[in-house]
Amino acid sequence: MQPINIVNSVIAPLDRKNVDTDQIISKEFLKRIERTGFGEFLFYHWRFDEQGNENPDFVLNKPEYKGSEILVAQDNFGCGSSREHAPWAILDYGFRVVIAPSFADIFHNNCFKNGILPIRLTEEECDEILAKGLEKPYNVEVNLEAQTVAGEDGKVYNFNIDPYYKEMLLNGWDEIALTFKYEDHIAAYEAKRIAF
């Protein structure tokens, strides 16, 4: 995975609650076995009409939010089925960070496993950031090491993160790569076991 520390980007303000995984990546696009290629289908039924034309009112289709790496939403983001394709689509589209007041547990864990930083801020803080981003393009800097989200207007929001996940994201490790940190200990243990 690509390490994350500082992500500086205009936010994409998705002012919606209870965004479920079928809205993030609809079931008809789950035919691939690779983790790539899902980004073009992110929020497909919101981004496009039945003829495949872009919906100009949807936030991701507005030119001022193109290239955003930080998605900001409302409560209960990633609810619904446990499909891992949802974070795959978010990452493949280009988002490195998702900010919301709360996340569905499985989605939250899947973000960490796929190199996405999910940040929980309070509902009031998310409302404030969303309002700023909907009024005009609003740039923020996410600093994982410092555990801050700093707006271009000087407003700073602090967030908590489990030290285990923080280390994984800072180093770009998945759970398999994390075991290599203990390779010497594993080799020593195996050497003892072979002796018996």
Side-chain angles (χ1 to χ4, degrees):
M1 296 189 308
Q2 184 181 348
I4 295 179
N5 185 12
I6 294 175
V7 179
N8 196 315
S9 170
V10 66
I11 67 159
L14 183 66
D15 192 13
R16 298 186 187 207
K17 294 184 178 185
N18 303 311
V19 175
D20 71 39
T21 52
D22 193 53
Q23 292 161 327
I24 296 170
I25 181 75
S26 191
K27 61 186 175 300
E28 65 264 31
F29 303 118
L30 306 183
K31 299 171 183 168
R32 304 174 58 85
I33 56 171
E34 303 88 357
R35 293 183 179 204
T36 58
F38 292 101
E40 64 184 299
F41 306 116
L42 180 70
F43 302 125
Y44 189 84
H45 296 293
W46 291 343
R47 286 172 54 208
F48 302 98
D49 64 21
E50 290 180 6
Q51 288 73 44
N53 301 309
E54 280 193 358
N55 170 6
D57 295 325
F58 186 63
V59 63
L60 297 189
N61 292 336
K62 295 184 178 182
E64 59 266 36
Y65 303 117
K66 295 280 186 187
S68 173
E69 296 181 65
I70 302 171
L71 180 66
V72 182
Q74 292 282 10
D75 275 324
N76 200 26
F77 190 86
C79 58
S81 68
S82 60
R83 64 185 66 158
E84 197 170 8
H85 302 78
W88 293 354
I90 287 169
L91 186 64
D92 194 58
Y93 187 83
F95 291 114
R96 304 295 317 280
V97 177
V98 181
I99 301 172
S102 63
F103 297 91
D105 286 342
I106 293 173
F107 175 84
H108 187 255
N109 291 333
N110 281 339
C111 281
F112 289 119
K113 292 177 182 181
N114 288 283
I116 299 168
L117 173 58
I119 295 175
R120 288 186 180 114
L121 295 179
T122 68
E123 190 172 337
E124 293 75 20
E125 290 170 332
C126 287
D127 284 344
E128 185 175 16
I129 294 170
L130 284 164
K132 291 175 183 179
L134 289 166
E135 182 183 353
K136 63 177 184 172
Y138 182 62
N139 203 80
V140 303
E141 180 180 274
V142 172
N143 186 319
L144 175 55
E145 185 66 51
Q147 296 179 205
T148 58
V149 176
E152 63 182 37
D153 54 0
K155 182 71 186 255
V156 178
Y157 308 88
N158 296 290
F159 64 91
N160 294 316
I161 184 171
D162 185 296
Y164 171 80
Y165 289 125
K166 181 176 180 178
E167 182 181 27
M168 287 180 68
L169 290 175
L170 284 171
N171 290 289
W173 294 336
D174 60 15
E175 290 173 324
I176 294 171
L178 186 62
T179 62
F180 293 124
K181 180 180 176 183
Y182 303 101
E183 196 168 10
D184 293 342
H185 298 285
I186 294 167
Y189 174 79
E190 288 177 342
K192 279 196 255 181
R193 299 290 296 167
I194 290 170
F196 294 107

